[in-house]
Amino acid sequence: MLYGKLSSVFTTSCLALLLSACDAGLTLGTRAMTEPLPVVTIPGALLPVELSLSAGLALPSPELDLGSGSDFVSFVRVRNLRLNILDTSDQDQIEDGALDNFDFVSALNVSIRANFNGTTNELLIATLPDGDPQIASAARNLNLTVVNSETDVLDFLLAPGGYDIVLGFSGTVPADNIVLSGEIRYRIGVGI
């Protein structure tokens, strides 16, 4: 009889603990997810121009598909960000004949931006800092350094008006059009 009462108390305690954990945002596991970035064209110049290019390009991204368990996502963090020049970049109307690359870039910042209650918020998520060895190496792919890697960006991804990925380039105007895309890899927490 004593065993039955203890078992009942133990079961009730475990059930109460489990129900309170549901409100605590308990993360039970994680998974990786990769989302492609939309294609964007950086316009080139017919003649070499020594103009400095510092442009924030908003790339409207589709709503991140968190799958059927989106109600159970406890956090989303940026893990990797990669940009690449597409093969179609070497076939534009003002093509200079040279293989397109990222040598026109001297620095690059990537942010995520969304509007919350009438206020635009922007968070730096990745960078290609001055002096990075990928600069001036004829690279067609750039692996950016993720910053704020422990910051939860779930609110940005679920913003009612959507979100933008913003590329801020510094460098010179390229000799011809550069067509690029890329991908962001997220770490997603799944819980109750």
Side-chain angles (χ1 to χ4, degrees), residues 172-191:
T172 57
V173 175
D176 63 10
N177 295 344
I178 304 290
V179 181
L180 60 95
S181 185
E183 61 185 27
I184 299 178
R185 186 167 181 260
Y186 297 100
R187 175 61 59 191
I188 298 173
V190 181

Side-chain angles (χ1 to χ4, degrees), residues 130-160:
D130 286 329
D132 188 287
Q134 298 175 94
I135 295 173
S137 66
R140 285 181 65 89
N141 301 300
L142 293 177
N143 292 305
L144 280 71
T145 302
V146 173
V147 295
N148 296 315
S149 62
E150 295 304 314
T151 302
D152 186 357
V153 297
L154 181 59
D155 288 344
F156 284 89
L157 302 181
L158 298 178

Side-chain angles (χ1 to χ4, degrees), residues 15 35 43 78 80 104 112 114 143:
L15 184 58
E35 285 288 309
V78 177
N80 302 90
F104 70 96
I112 188 168
N143 292 305

Side-chain angles (χ1 to χ4, degrees), residues 110-123:
V110 181
S111 302
I112 188 168
R113 179 175 64 198
N115 191 303
F116 299 100
N117 299 322
T119 303
T120 301
N121 291 324
E122 193 166 320
L123 174 71

